[in-house]
Amino acid sequence: MSSERQARLADRIRVLIAERLEKGLRDPRLGFTTITDVKVTGDLQHASVFYTVLGTEKERTDSAEALRAATGMLRSEVGRKLGVRLTPTLEFIPDAIPENAGHIEDLLREARERDAAVAGLATGAAYAGDADPYVKPREDAE
């Protein structure tokens, strides 16, 4: 029962923060930031907000500082619009999705290259023993 409430609250927090970032903060350090996910603890008192920033490493660190500086303002706005008794604390965590996706893409490319190499070796290969190595039952003459 509480997990459903957690999910609803996390989704609502994600939407509220994304809308606020879309309107814009008065911080020039904030880059093109996307809120990817929000996780709320079981007691609904802490929310971990995962985000990604499109740009260079400097833009990512500047955006992280801007979000850290705007945490109080964002928490008060979320609290006003949520209408819950206790407003959860917000923690902004950079999401590792782009880095993980790049790593997975590299692994898939390497696997395709290895598969192509194995297929190239298999084209001219011959069986080491019989073409059909399985033992077949004898046909006895009756």
Side-chain angles (χ1 to χ4, degrees), residues 2-82:
S2 68
S3 64
E4 181 182 329
R5 185 166 184 212
Q6 279 176 270
R8 281 187 287 131
L9 189 66
D11 189 47
R12 185 70 182 136
I13 289 172
R14 183 182 59 79
V15 168
L16 290 173
I17 292 175
E19 286 175 353
R20 182 63 181 116
L21 292 179
E22 187 178 319
K23 289 179 190 173
L25 295 176
R26 292 189 186 127
D27 197 334
R29 297 177 294 178
L30 187 66
F32 187 72
T33 305
T34 303
I35 304 299
T36 56
D37 196 15
V38 175
K39 301 284 185 197
V40 178
T41 58
D43 60 359
L44 308 176
Q45 295 205 8
H46 182 77
S48 299
V49 181
F50 295 91
Y51 68 95
T52 59
V53 178
L54 186 65
T56 64
E57 189 62 37
K58 181 178 179 352
E59 290 171 333
R60 288 186 192 124
T61 56
D62 288 348
S63 293
E65 292 172 14
L67 287 173
R68 221 172 288 116
T71 300
M73 185 271 303
L74 290 171
R75 181 177 181 219
S76 64
E77 187 166 328
V78 165
R80 260 195 326 272
K81 292 185 178 180
L82 273 182

Side-chain angles (χ1 to χ4, degrees), residues 57-134:
E57 189 62 37
K58 181 178 179 352
E59 290 171 333
R60 288 186 192 124
T61 56
D62 288 348
S63 293
E65 292 172 14
L67 287 173
R68 221 172 288 116
T71 300
M73 185 271 303
L74 290 171
R75 181 177 181 219
S76 64
E77 187 166 328
V78 165
R80 260 195 326 272
K81 292 185 178 180
L82 273 182
V84 293
R85 188 171 63 89
L86 295 172
T87 303
T89 59
L90 301 177
E91 176 187 14
F92 289 94
I93 302 170
D95 205 348
I97 288 176
E99 292 82 17
N100 290 345
H103 180 66
I104 290 172
E105 187 61 38
D106 292 341
L107 291 175
L108 288 173
R109 181 182 38 74
E110 183 180 334
R112 278 192 296 271
E113 291 170 358
R114 287 184 181 181
D115 286 347
V118 168
L121 290 174
T123 55
Y127 291 107
D130 292 336
D132 189 8
Y134 298 105

